[in-house]
Amino acid sequence: MPPPADIVKVAIEWPGAFPKLMEIDQKKPLSAIIKEVCEGWSLGNHENFALQIADATNFYITEKNRNDIKNGSILRLTTSPYQTAVQLHERIQSSSMDAKLESLKDLANASRDITFAQEFINLDGISLLTQMVESGTERYQKLQKIMKPCFGDLLSFTLTAFVELMDHGIVSWDTFSVAFIKKIASYVNKSAMDTAVLQRSLAILESMVLNSQDLYHKVAQEITIGQLIPHLQGTDQDIQTYTIAVINALFLKAPEEKRQEMAHILAQKQLRSIILSNVIRSPTPINDEMAHQLYVLQVLTFNLLEDRMMTKMDPQDQAQRDIIFELRRIAFDVECEPNNSGSIEKRKSMYTRDYKKLGFINHVNPAVDFTQIPPGMLALDNMLYFARHHQDAYIRIVLENSSREDKHECPFGRSSIELTKMLCEILKVGELPSENCHDFHPMFFTHDRSFEEFFCICIQLLNKTWKEMRATSEDFNKVMQVVREQIMRALTLKPNSLDQFKSRLQNLSYTEILKIRQSERMNQEDFQSRPILELREKIQPEIMELIKQQRLNRLCDGTCFRKISSRRRQDKFWYCRLSPNHKVLHYGDLEESPQGEVPHDSLQDKLPVADIKAVITGKDCPHMKEKGALKQNKEVLELAFSVLYESDEYLNFIAPDKHEYCVWTDGLNALLGKEMTSDYTKSDMDTLLSMEMKLRLLDLENIQIPEAPPPIPKEPSNYDFVYDCN
């Protein structure tokens, strides 16, 4: 007969004594269990003791997490979080350098536990650490040369403990003094600084900037882009990542009036070229976190264009009108005529003719064309850049279209306006960066005016595609759709430079796009007739039920999951499976990853499906909410899901891969009667629906389809006919 669900068999350690095996009744108060353990070893004052998980995490057992204790767990009797906090609070103030160093190391390790962190913070521990950073280390200033390694470790453990304590979100970032910020900034500004100290200092500065507008102003006064750039010129990718993260944070939180100023600073300090040579073109592969920070920097840089994109042209502004005159002058090499030459009517007629050749919609007053937002004045900026920096191409496009019939000319003005709008949509100008996106393009880091150069390549592509399509003015929208497809397909290939992007576009001519479309159409069997669509709708529920049964069968087989006990990864395993009647989830801990099927009797814990209230995914999961300066691994974040039951109890999962994640989230949603929405379900639905449609549409009249598969033929008497390619 299995033991009661509330009884857990554990081993409890105590220094200098043999471990004690005992049964813990989960219905009893935790204080009563600790008292019983203390009495077993004749220890008084049981309120000064607590139980810990005996592994590298050393997390304290509390009333909230006690249900995580499994059969066979090893616990450790130790001093209570309050007593430990008091002892460490005293020890880190020791006059002995060795004692101080050892206690700070213990503090950095213990601070990962939120129970201990709360007690240490209640003792004003954060203030003590900040005081040590501000002034305490000054005592050892003279000893730095002699004791440099020791000094580096001392500071490293202090800052690590600080980051760990702040990561719990108990204390507001707004409480820190200017002296503390200056001290942290000084560690970043020093050229030769311990790597661990530098990494944590950068992480602290990033968190300060992101969490408080007031701290942003204080940090911005202490740290300049020029002081951060040397950290990008090293080979440590973690330091480079944190450095770009700080730059992004300063960029993101900068007031509107300072963003353009910051953009100029970035350009002057040649940040782009340093990132290109030391990060993007570094022999070290770019990891996901670095890719995300580069993507954020790319988005924030392009967002500087939003102001011009949303600014309408003022038809009465002479300076803005002069830009249009400049476009006309470059195109037709017209000398500035004196105001009294010719009649006003004659000059107006000449201007109207030229503006028509330039492809503006409003020939009389082209300024009106730039009152549409987006793209506003950004389109005019792009046109002027193209005319000045690619003058030959500009003149060729304008004159080519001037000599065509009216209906076949590609209107340069209208095309430029619509193309600028399209490029802003593709690059999502004005939108905030996504938290989980890594989609940065190396080619945008190869030029100081990358957006304008991007436009120049694309406007020439548009003119070329127009000619290939033999388009007329009525085909304008069709041409724009083809150009968009050409640009998107070329960007998907992630070209390393603008020249490479240009060459990829050369291979994506209109003829090639037609071939690609035809190929995709044949592969996708894009049936659009009404009877076919009705048949698809009729078959879809059957296919969805088939997918649902497959998911539930997979849940019945079960899966081995990895446990992450803290932000620092330490692999442990547990197994979960659904009962054959689909009414109970059975789960339990494993010592190692299983090689075969896990027997039912080894899974002691169970959760009735009827008790499940919701399935939560990603960053909303309770085991994923700890995300501070030293960020949660994004790959783990995408594989996390939790099952909510009772009032605030969770069963937390981290899937071994994306496939298992989709299977389990789909299966759990199916059990709850909810829709299965994973990418895996969509893919299965498309595949199975396509196969079923093809089978049903085959001409199979008077053809018998056998119920059983054909028999497997006998093996041949010899394999002499097999040719060995090796």
Side-chain angles (χ1 to χ4, degrees), residues 490-553:
L491 284 176
T492 305
L493 299 169
K494 297 280 181 169
N496 290 320
S497 66
L498 290 162
D499 286 338
Q500 199 175 87
F501 172 69
K502 197 172 182 177
S503 65
R504 296 272 162 83
L505 289 175
Q506 294 293 333
N507 298 328
L508 286 168
S509 63
Y510 176 57
T511 309
E512 188 62 29
I513 291 291
L514 286 180
K515 286 180 185 175
I516 293 169
R517 285 180 175 179
Q518 180 67 21
S519 172
E520 289 178 350
R521 197 176 294 121
M522 289 176 68
N523 291 334
Q524 290 172 359
E525 291 295 338
D526 189 18
F527 304 124
Q528 294 299 326
S529 64
R530 188 172 174 184
I532 301 296
L533 292 174
E534 287 178 0
L535 180 60
R536 286 174 69 91
E537 287 178 13
K538 184 180 177 182
I539 296 172
Q540 206 158 334
E542 300 173 22
I543 302 294
M544 187 57 79
E545 184 60 30
L546 188 66
I547 294 170
K548 176 182 172 183
Q549 289 305 318
Q550 188 273 341
R551 299 292 191 269
L552 294 177
N553 288 342

Side-chain angles (χ1 to χ4, degrees), residues 238-254:
D238 286 337
I239 296 296
Q240 291 174 327
T241 304
Y242 280 111
T243 303
I244 297 176
V246 173
I247 292 170
N248 286 338
L250 290 168
F251 218 144
L252 191 63
K253 293 297 180 180

Side-chain angles (χ1 to χ4, degrees), residues 159-176:
L159 294 179
T160 302
F162 176 82
V163 169
E164 296 285 2
L165 292 167
M166 291 303 296
D167 246 8
H168 297 296
I170 300 168
V171 178
S172 167
W173 283 94
D174 284 310
T175 56
F176 298 107

Side-chain angles (χ1 to χ4, degrees), residues 13 20 30 55 69 74 115 119 151-152 272 276 300 325 331 420 423 427 461 483 526 628 716:
E13 297 176 342
K20 181 181 292 187
L30 193 58
D55 60 12
I69 304 173
I74 300 175
T115 312
E119 296 292 351
F151 178 78
R272 176 197 58 76
L276 182 67
L300 294 175
F325 291 147
T420 301
L423 297 183
L427 298 176
L461 167 74
V483 169
D526 189 18

Side-chain angles (χ1 to χ4, degrees), residues 322-358:
D322 285 345
I323 298 174
I324 297 176
F325 291 147
E326 178 73 358
L327 289 172
R328 173 177 170 267
R329 185 194 66 75
I330 295 171
F332 305 112
D333 198 22
V334 178
E335 294 296 331
C336 296
E337 300 166 7
N339 292 333
N340 57 3
S341 67
S343 65
I344 295 172
E345 288 76 13
K346 184 179 177 182
R347 277 187 283 122
K348 279 188 177 179
S349 172
M350 187 172 59
Y351 288 169
T352 301
R353 182 197 67 207
D354 290 347
Y355 291 149
K356 187 179 181 209
K357 288 180 181 178
L358 281 168

Side-chain angles (χ1 to χ4, degrees), residues 291-340:
H292 173 69
Q293 294 300 340
L294 290 172
Y295 153 78
V296 172
L297 183 60
Q298 173 186 293
V299 171
L300 294 175
T301 305
F302 283 139
N303 280 357
L304 293 168
L305 303 169
E306 185 182 11
D307 184 47
R308 292 294 282 173
M309 181 181 79
M310 301 306 291
T311 301
K312 292 182 180 181
M313 184 170 184
D314 180 3
Q316 306 304 319
D317 188 324
Q318 189 58 43
Q320 294 179 357
R321 290 168 65 86
D322 285 345
I323 298 174
I324 297 176
F325 291 147
E326 178 73 358
L327 289 172
R328 173 177 170 267
R329 185 194 66 75
I330 295 171
F332 305 112
D333 198 22
V334 178
E335 294 296 331
C336 296
E337 300 166 7
N339 292 333
N340 57 3

Side-chain angles (χ1 to χ4, degrees), residues 444-459:
F444 291 130
F445 291 85
T446 61
H447 202 283
D448 289 328
R449 303 288 292 276
S450 60
F451 184 80
E452 289 88 342
E453 288 292 327
F454 186 43
F455 168 84
C456 294
I457 294 169
C458 294
I459 193 66

